[in-house]
Amino acid sequence: MSAILSTSIEFLKGVGPNRADVLKLDLNIFTFEDLLNHFPFKYVDRTNFQKISSIISDQSYVQVKGVLVGIEEVGTGKAKRLTAVLRDDSGALELVWFRGAMFFKKSLILGKEYIVYGKPTLFGSKMNISHPEMILYSIAAFNELKGLQAIYNSSENMKNRGLDSKGLRKLFSVLLPQVKGKIPEILNAEMMVDMQFMSRDQAFQQIHQPQNMELANRAIARLKFDELFFAQLRILKVKQGRQINYSGFIFDKVGDYFNGFYTKYLPFELTGAQKRVVKEIRKDMGSGQHMNRLLQGDVGSGKTMVALLSILIALDNGYQAAIMAPTEILANQHFASFEEMLRPLGIEVKLLTGSVKGKERQNVFEKLQSGELKVIVGTHALIEDPVQFKNIGLVVIDEQHRFGVAQRSKLWRKNTRPPHVLVMTATPIPRTLAMTLYGDLDVSVIDELPPGRKPITTLHYKDGGRLRVFGFMRDQIALGRQVYIVYPLIEESEAMDYKDLMDGYESIQRAFEPPHYQISVLHGRMKSDAKDFEMHRFKTGVTQIMVATTVIEVGVNVPNASVMVIESAERFGLSQLHQLRGRVGRGAEQSYCVLMTADKLGPEAKLRMRTMCETNDGFKIAEVDLKLRGPGDIEGTRQSGMMDFKIADLVKDSQTMQIARQKAMEILSDDPEIKKEENKYIAAHLNLLTDPKSNWSRIS
Ligand code: ADP
Ligand code: MG
């Protein structure tokens, strides 16, 4: 790297120690390089003047030229302000200052021509601009101003030190000539031609001081690509490293367990998508490479069967297999269904959760260690230290978003070689995000629901409509269906939520009295055998209504339950609402989801309710969610450190991301160690990014 780029920022003319402190503190700008990477978020064109008569209040800014024809102080005390009138040959415009009135009164000169710039607002019938930028007109002043101007984010502190957009632009006029021709290229020549990119050196010039909008856009495209390309290259390197360092167990047999189950006991025909995914998994596990696969499939798409079939392949090859769930309820449920499905094959299944204690726990440990037990279902208790396997070959993790990367990696130490890992998630992750977050995993998608499912009808009711909702529930129960009523449970206010749940429970009890109606209740404070008892009563149809907190969110499967009522639905995020809704629609009957909310909703909550009512497609919902919350708020993304993009935007730049990933894959397959001469710039930049001593690592 050229030395000038790492020069400390206080040595830039016009900065000095005080401004340097603010830049460091507020923007993490320590060097020339850092400043170059502080990108504008928009541009304004200062080449033309608009006629005053053509200004409309929708404009985000206007630039006019006119003569100052009046200055007046109006109001008293706090309401005191300075107003001025600017006139051009088309009309007049009012200018207003609420702060610094004295200063402007002294410095503005009546009768002179000014360039005025700011955001217009319609005040009554008059158009005005408050706190406009005022420049005494001269040809020289205008020449300096002409053209596109970059607009930057700056903090209050920076503004106080003259480092607003204008101040920053001044710094760039000093910095850019100094670094011109000194910013190294980081892509290879072929890519540059292929993508028709301008040089990186040029891109930095153009992004800060664009000659025209077309060049600005090309500079932006170039720098976004750089960022995404290197992010992908790093992720793919991680994956490559794993494949080189860890060879996987080879499961090349498909034997009696798999074939026997498939031909004799498979309870239904697999969907096309399930078949495809099972093939992908078989191929992975037979290849000699270590499988690390993410299986995405919307709620109810039938991931469990895929897990079961994968487990049978492991068993056919003489290995043990484990399936891990995020909650006890879900682990119990998997245990019950696995036990039932595997019984005819004579395969023993055991459960390991926090509630399995004493002798039984010891028994499980021993049988896993001796290898007598081949299939274990459990919670994270499975990866706690005392659990030793004889030869674990496959671990399936259900509902991935509750398991962190660190927990996943613990699994690797459970055998001499890491077991194959299949991660299943029902929270669809938008493609772009998946490429970044799970870019080191291979991805399979079940994009098809089992046949015969009727789309769930989703309705939104406000508190006023509660009696009608109760009536609807009675009708459905009379038809033989069952109903969930779910209350929010948010950790910070657990006590309050508990009260909400209990108040709700009481009012439901009043509206649905025994002996006609039986109600179950389920929440996090209950002991696990009490939970099981209530779950069982509901599952077997003894109770018709299940009042619960979000403990039922994940995985619970009661096909006869066809109505999901979500209380205070506005307090849930979209992906959680979608998860909850997925608890119904599992049987042949038409199912319903009822969103109950307060009467008054903010615009965002309205959009969430509308999205839920309009679509059942988990991927569409995830896209809206990503747009609403931004990538930083989606579970698991914050810790990844992969989201700190300077210029790229995971929502808007998904196409660029895909191209970048493609290019990164091409480079790695052609030159796995990136040591060909033509790729030397790529290698050099990658080194800088991954070298913790380099200050570039801060700005990756
Ligand atoms: P999820 O992907 O949410 O984990 P499950 O595996 O729990 O979904 O499957 C949901 C329901 O669909 C279960 O009752 C399951 O038995 C059923 N199912 C799964 N695959 C099929 C299929 N190919 N045909 C019919 N029913 C299926
Ligand atoms: Mg599931």
Side-chain angles (χ1 to χ4, degrees):
M1 175 180 42
S2 130
I4 187 161
L5 296 180
S6 53
T7 310
S8 187
I9 194 67
E10 64 236 50
F11 300 123
L12 184 69
K13 193 169 154 277
V15 177
N18 290 339
R19 283 178 155 190
D21 282 347
V22 184
L23 286 171
K24 286 176 198 171
L25 222 62
D26 287 8
L27 290 181
N28 261 320
I29 293 176
F30 289 82
T31 63
F32 285 15
E33 175 75 42
D34 294 343
L35 183 59
L36 284 171
N37 279 285
H38 184 56
F39 297 118
F41 64 92
K42 68 169 185 184
Y43 301 94
V44 298
D45 190 349
R46 303 287 296 264
T47 310
N48 299 307
F49 298 114
Q50 198 176 333
K51 291 286 176 211
I52 286 176
S53 62
S54 73
I55 298 174
I56 52 172
S57 59
D58 289 353
Q59 290 181 267
S60 59
Y61 65 89
V62 292
Q63 173 166 269
V64 294
K65 186 175 73 163
V67 179
L68 206 61
V69 294
I71 301 180
E72 188 184 4
E73 246 180 301
V74 289
T76 52
K78 278 206 170 138
K80 196 147 108 179
R81 61 193 189 273
L82 184 72
T83 65
V85 178
L86 187 86
R87 187 181 287 287
D88 69 5
D89 56 15
S90 77
L93 174 70
E94 191 180 60
L95 311 172
V96 192
W97 290 267
F98 302 97
R99 299 181 307 270
M102 283 308 287
F103 170 82
F104 285 103
K105 192 177 171 193
K106 270 193 212 145
S107 54
L108 293 173
I109 312 164
L110 260 184
K112 288 279 184 191
E113 210 173 14
Y114 281 89
I115 298 169
V116 175
Y117 172 84
K119 158 108 190 89
T121 20
L122 193 61
F123 204 76
S125 62
K126 263 201 245 164
M127 196 65 76
N128 79 22
I129 300 181
S130 61
H131 294 269
E133 183 188 311
M134 304 289 292
I135 297 169
L136 197 58
Y137 178 78
S138 70
I139 301 232
F142 180 54
N143 279 340
E144 203 178 302
L145 198 65
K146 246 171 29 188
L148 284 180
Q149 307 255 335
I151 307 295
Y152 298 90
N153 280 319
S154 52
S155 65
E156 243 356 86
N157 279 335
M158 287 169 61
K159 283 179 189 148
N160 290 339
R161 299 203 181 267
L163 292 175
D164 53 3
S165 283
K166 196 172 165 191
L168 285 167
R169 283 199 298 268
K170 266 197 192 142
L171 295 187
F172 280 110
S173 337
V174 180
L175 176 62
L176 291 172
Q178 288 186 50
V179 298
K180 197 170 177 136
K182 296 186 177 132
I183 299 173
E185 195 41 67
I186 60 177
L187 300 179
N188 71 22
E190 196 188 313
M191 283 164 84
M192 297 286 294
V193 174
D194 226 36
M195 312 275 300
Q196 301 186 325
F197 277 147
M198 63 172 70
S199 71
R200 190 164 157 90
D201 191 68
Q202 233 184 331
F204 275 104
Q205 297 285 332
Q206 288 297 334
I207 201 165
H208 293 294
Q209 290 187 344
Q211 274 166 280
N212 55 49
M213 211 47 224
E214 194 213 324
L215 286 168
N217 285 331
R218 285 184 54 200
I220 292 168
R222 164 72 216 252
L223 295 171
K224 281 185 172 178
F225 180 85
D226 285 1
E227 199 165 43
L228 294 171
F229 173 74
F230 279 91
Q232 285 301 325
L233 201 59
R234 288 173 70 179
I235 295 167
L236 292 168
K237 276 293 252 183
V238 170
K239 180 171 169 183
Q240 185 193 49
R242 201 187 64 231
Q243 285 168 347
I244 292 170
N245 295 327
Y246 303 97
S247 52
F249 298 118
I250 301 179
F251 294 176
D252 53 0
K253 280 200 276 293
V254 177
D256 291 347
Y257 286 137
F258 184 94
N259 289 330
F261 182 82
Y262 202 90
T263 49
K264 278 193 241 149
Y265 304 113
L266 198 64
F268 37 67
E269 167 99 9
L270 293 187
T271 62
Q274 283 170 317
K275 283 185 192 156
R276 190 189 64 235
V277 170
V278 170
K279 256 191 213 144
E280 284 167 354
I281 292 168
R282 267 166 64 166
K283 192 164 160 233
D284 273 5
M285 297 196 303
S287 71
Q289 296 217 322
H290 174 231
M291 174 170 84
N292 218 352
R293 187 169 278 279
L294 176 70
L295 172 56
Q296 289 196 52
D298 213 341
V299 208
S301 61
K303 295 183 293 295
T304 316
M305 186 50 70
V306 172
L308 183 87
L309 292 170
S310 312
I311 286 172
L312 291 175
I313 295 174
L315 265 56
D316 272 336
N317 286 275
Y319 288 89
Q320 292 170 298
I323 175 159
M324 210 156 71
T327 63
E328 285 205 13
I329 291 194
L330 189 55
N332 290 342
Q333 197 166 304
H334 275 327
F335 172 63
S337 65
F338 273 55
E339 205 185 27
E340 192 186 317
M341 288 191 284
L342 296 178
R343 194 177 305 127
L345 297 170
I347 299 171
E348 186 185 17
V349 184
K350 288 234 169 248
L351 178 71
L352 186 70
T353 64
S355 313
V356 177
K357 296 225 162 75
K359 256 206 179 128
E360 174 59 8
R361 195 175 185 84
Q362 216 44 49
N363 182 27
V364 170
F365 285 168
E366 278 159 23
K367 283 185 150 184
L368 283 175
Q369 193 159 14
S370 72
E372 186 187 339
L373 181 64
K374 297 270 188 270
V375 181
I376 180 85
V377 180
T379 53
H380 59 272
L382 275 176
I383 53 172
E384 300 307 324
D385 281 331
V387 185
Q388 302 264 332
F389 294 89
K390 174 144 185 271
N391 63 347
I392 178 90
L394 169 68
V395 176
V396 180
I397 305 177
D398 198 8
E399 314 294 351
Q400 140 80 16
H401 59 295
R402 308 284 166 105
F403 280 107
V405 176
Q407 281 175 309
R408 237 199 293 156
S409 71
K410 270 195 186 176
L411 287 168
W412 293 22
R413 285 182 258 153
K414 291 285 175 184
N415 205 342
T416 46
R417 277 199 246 168
H420 294 299
V421 176
L422 178 66
V423 170
M424 307 199 295
T425 174
T427 311
I429 303 154
R431 264 190 72 78
T432 347
L433 202 58
M435 275 189 279
T436 313
L437 255 186
Y438 305 115
D440 65 321
L441 306 185
D442 295 306
V443 180
S444 292
V445 181
I446 304 188
D447 48 7
E448 184 185 350
L449 291 180
R453 293 276 168 80
K454 294 199 181 80
I456 302 164
T457 303
T458 302
L459 306 161
H460 174 200
Y461 280 94
K462 299 188 170 171
D463 273 337
R466 183 167 299 277
L467 287 180
R468 285 174 59 196
V469 173
F470 282 178
F472 175 71
M473 286 166 55
R474 283 196 193 93
D475 293 345
Q476 289 292 310
I477 293 170
L479 290 169
R481 319 270 184 274
Q482 289 165 285
V483 179
Y484 293 106
I485 304 178
V486 176
Y487 288 82
L489 182 70
I490 297 165
E491 271 162 45
E492 303 94 78
S493 58
E494 204 181 326
M496 208 179 90
D497 288 326
Y498 180 70
K499 188 176 171 303
D500 283 355
L501 172 77
M502 284 308 161
D503 288 352
Y505 180 44
E506 275 170 28
S507 76
I508 301 291
Q509 274 179 320
R510 280 194 296 276
F512 296 86
E513 284 182 13
H516 212 68
Y517 298 101
Q518 300 290 335
I519 307 175
S520 280
V521 65
L522 195 67
H523 57 81
R525 291 188 176 187
M526 284 160 63
K527 290 244 161 62
S528 99
D529 46 354
K531 279 189 210 163
D532 286 347
F533 176 73
E534 289 296 340
M535 233 8 256
H536 186 74
R537 292 204 317 146
F538 188 64
K539 227 175 161 160
T540 50
V542 176
T543 57
Q544 298 87 41
I545 300 175
M546 163 69 82
V547 177
T549 58
T550 48
V551 292
I552 66 147
E553 173 195 347
V554 177
V556 168
N557 191 12
V558 180
N560 190 52
S562 66
V563 182
M564 166 65 66
V565 179
I566 305 175
E567 292 284 346
S568 306
E570 71 271 26
R571 285 175 59 191
F572 292 95
L574 268 175
S575 73
Q576 214 181 1
L577 288 172
H578 182 62
Q579 284 289 312
L580 285 168
R581 179 169 60 183
R583 297 309 110 212
V584 298
R586 304 191 145 228
E589 306 306 334
Q590 174 63 52
S591 291
Y592 300 89
C593 174
V594 181
L595 307 169
M596 297 291 309
T597 66
D599 289 328
K600 279 220 172 79
L601 292 179
E604 207 202 290
K606 273 189 195 148
L607 176 59
R608 271 182 276 139
M609 299 310 125
R610 198 167 66 230
T611 305
M612 286 296 293
C613 292
E614 279 170 4
T615 183
N616 278 303
D617 180 336
F619 281 89
K620 276 194 195 133
I621 289 171
E623 297 284 351
V624 177
D625 202 29
L626 181 64
K627 276 176 196 151
L628 277 179
R629 298 199 291 169
D633 274 345
I634 290 186
E635 230 164 336
T637 57
R638 223 164 321 166
Q639 305 88 307
S640 79
M642 284 293 186
M643 299 294 129
D644 310 331
F645 290 121
K646 284 250 179 283
I647 185 165
D649 178 322
L650 280 180
V651 179
K652 295 187 191 124
D653 300 324
S654 72
Q655 229 181 336
T656 310
M657 173 83 95
Q658 284 177 40
I659 297 167
R661 184 169 175 88
Q662 188 57 39
K663 291 280 175 199
M665 287 195 299
E666 282 168 20
I667 295 283
L668 282 177
S669 80
D670 171 62
D671 183 12
E673 288 170 61
I674 316 189
K675 57 182 189 193
K676 287 191 177 171
E677 172 64 19
E678 72 228 41
N679 291 332
K680 67 176 180 206
Y681 296 146
I682 296 177
H685 191 63
L686 194 63
N687 272 338
L688 282 172
L689 291 178
T690 43
D691 176 4
K693 288 193 295 293
S694 147
N695 66 51
W696 280 56
S697 64
R698 239 189 11 248
I699 51 163
S700 66

